[in-house]
Amino acid sequence: MTFSRITGLGYYVPENIVTNNDLTKWMDTSDEWIQERTGIKERRYFEYGKDTNYSMAAAASRQALERAGLTPDDVDVIVYATITPDYFFPGSAFLMQRELRMDGKPVFDIRQQCSGFVYALSIADQFIKSGMYKTALVVGSEIQSSWIDKSTAGRNTAVIFGDGAGAAVVQATQDPNHRILSTHLHADGRFAEDLFVREPGSSRAGRTATTEMIEEGGFNVHMNGNTVFKHAIVRFGEVINEALEANGFQASDVNVLVPHQANIRISDYVRQQMGLSEEQVVNNIQRFGNTTAASIPIAMAEAWEEGRIKEGDLVCLAAFGSGFTWASALIKW
Ligand code: UT7
């Protein structure tokens, strides 16, 4: 039987560090408020002219491929998650494919917001288990700093988000002891407008991108933070338990939990519910903020580099975000 396994991880974050104090230049906020409510101390913003969504993804992918001992030629398919693509269309997967000179190879652009990476990983896992592809590049990449509203009106979301990219190489294996055990995906469109950006939408009376739409805030992030928070703490636990039950494990069997970096308070709540130690839960939101689809692969790559994820570990990935979407993956490393 064919399974899939993560054989390489990589990430890229822009050099430009933006601290909470830096944000106070643009909006009425404070380091104290941001740290207390979110845990975030600083985040990275891309450098215009140097970084693009796809170039960051390519950098992360090159590192992941090198660590897997592969080259872009060895990859059969790209699954690329982002909500902040370089163009409205075609997606950034095409641009990264061109950058990595993978002409002719199929690419998928998916959204799924903060759950994007776990959805992308699941897609790759299904393709590999079905035998259609042997090697997939799974990517999450975001440039959010260029569209967040950095005035006081946008402060409840602007302080959260950061830029960066992460990538995983996923390969076919026959080894049942080191593999992705299962993935679990969910969505609930009833809450679509509780965390969303309306424009540039197509279902509009006139052309998209008029000055009025910009002035009315149509291009800004709208979030009912409280609603998102309340759903997140329930769904994280549910989808983690679903993965554990599907494989006959309990929370105490998990060695490492890599949660989407939404808010340190959410991660801490989930950690306590599961009875895990701080060391077992990967948190880098303090340094990178919430990088949406990139947050899990960046956190996973860092944890692997630091030796916190080791062969034989039971690793759980879990995400919740706009849509609403929520998802988990259980991996025997
Ligand atoms: O990754 C996708 C999923 N996203 C999430 O999981 C985010 C989930 N939500 C959250 O993490 C929290 O809702 C936030 C951290 C975003 C906000 O925390 P909150 O405790 O829900 O704050 P709030 O929006 O209810 O606002 C409380 C107060 C308000 O002032 P008043 O009305 O009480 O006077 C806000 O105006 O805090 C004010 N506020 C701020 N003050 C300083 C909101 N944002 C800021 C800010 N700086 N950045």
Side-chain angles (χ1 to χ4, degrees):
M1 196 161 165
T2 301
F3 305 106
S4 78
R5 180 180 187 182
I6 295 177
T7 55
L9 290 165
Y11 74 99
Y12 173 92
V13 288
E15 282 171 29
N16 183 19
I17 297 172
V18 177
T19 66
N20 292 343
N21 279 329
D22 290 334
L23 294 180
T24 63
K25 287 182 241 160
W26 302 306
M27 65 189 84
D28 180 13
T29 189
S30 67
D31 179 44
E32 192 190 2
W33 192 96
I34 300 168
Q35 285 211 46
E36 191 188 309
R37 304 280 176 128
T38 69
I40 300 167
K41 296 181 180 173
E42 58 190 42
R43 72 287 292 139
R44 304 295 177 100
Y45 281 4
F46 88 117
E47 193 181 318
Y48 179 67
K50 180 181 176 217
D51 303 309
T52 61
N53 186 308
Y54 76 86
S55 74
M56 298 196 309
S61 296
R62 283 193 187 98
Q63 188 178 52
L65 284 166
E66 199 185 314
R67 287 170 171 175
L70 301 179
T71 70
D73 281 347
D74 300 313
V75 176
D76 300 317
V77 62
I78 296 170
V79 191
Y80 193 126
T82 186
I83 56 166
T84 53
D86 300 278
Y87 302 144
F88 189 62
F89 73 84
S92 293
F94 294 83
L95 307 180
M96 189 186 85
Q97 185 230 43
R98 182 174 66 192
E99 172 86 4
L100 295 178
R101 301 194 180 157
M102 294 169 58
D103 307 358
K105 301 282 176 71
V107 302
F108 288 85
D109 274 277
I110 67 156
R111 294 186 181 217
Q112 313 334 98
Q113 302 69 249
C114 298
S115 305
F117 181 80
V118 183
Y119 266 72
L121 189 67
S122 181
I123 292 168
D125 183 43
Q126 310 317 314
F127 272 133
I128 290 171
K129 284 194 295 200
S130 76
M132 183 154 173
Y133 299 122
K134 286 195 164 50
T135 303
L137 199 46
V138 181
V139 181
S141 182
E142 306 285 3
I143 290 181
Q144 320 201 79
S145 61
S146 56
W147 52 261
I148 50 180
D149 174 7
K150 298 192 191 79
S151 73
T152 297
R155 67 182 179 175
N156 75 321
T157 51
V159 300
I160 300 174
F161 294 112
D163 304 340
V169 175
V170 185
Q171 287 187 269
T173 178
Q174 309 299 321
D175 182 351
N177 299 318
H178 302 284
R179 64 180 174 100
I180 295 174
L181 298 173
S182 62
T183 55
H184 305 268
L185 312 178
H186 295 277
D188 193 341
R190 288 176 298 171
F191 300 96
E193 285 81 15
D194 281 294
L195 176 47
F196 84 126
V197 177
R198 183 180 298 278
E199 309 297 353
S202 60
S203 304
R204 305 285 173 266
R207 286 206 65 194
T208 55
T210 61
T211 315
E212 288 78 18
M213 285 173 186
I214 297 171
E215 284 165 0
E216 285 164 7
F219 287 86
N220 296 338
V221 186
H222 293 274
M223 176 167 80
N224 292 327
N226 223 281
T227 308
V228 177
F229 193 96
K230 283 181 187 152
H231 280 79
I233 55 173
V234 174
R235 297 305 196 188
F236 264 108
E238 271 179 17
V239 80
I240 291 168
N241 282 333
E242 186 183 345
L244 293 173
E245 274 169 28
N247 295 283
F249 288 114
Q250 297 179 344
S252 54
D253 296 316
V254 173
N255 298 106
V256 184
L257 173 69
V258 187
H260 163 56
Q261 306 291 298
N263 184 324
I264 197 92
R265 289 160 61 206
I266 297 175
S267 294
D268 275 348
Y269 180 85
V270 175
R271 181 179 68 72
Q272 283 162 17
Q273 293 287 304
M274 291 178 70
L276 299 178
S277 69
E278 284 185 17
E279 182 53 30
Q280 287 176 291
V281 181
V282 182
N283 283 309
N284 61 12
I285 191 170
Q286 301 89 337
R287 289 174 288 119
F288 300 137
N290 176 346
T291 56
T292 304
S295 95
I296 287 181
I298 294 174
M300 197 167 36
E302 271 205 332
W304 177 84
E305 274 180 3
E306 291 163 4
R308 291 174 67 184
I309 296 178
K310 299 177 291 297
E311 190 160 310
D313 278 351
L314 188 65
V315 178
C316 184
L317 315 182
F320 178 87
S322 155
F324 289 156
T325 54
W326 60 106
S328 64
L330 202 60
I331 303 165
K332 190 78 176 146
W333 209 267

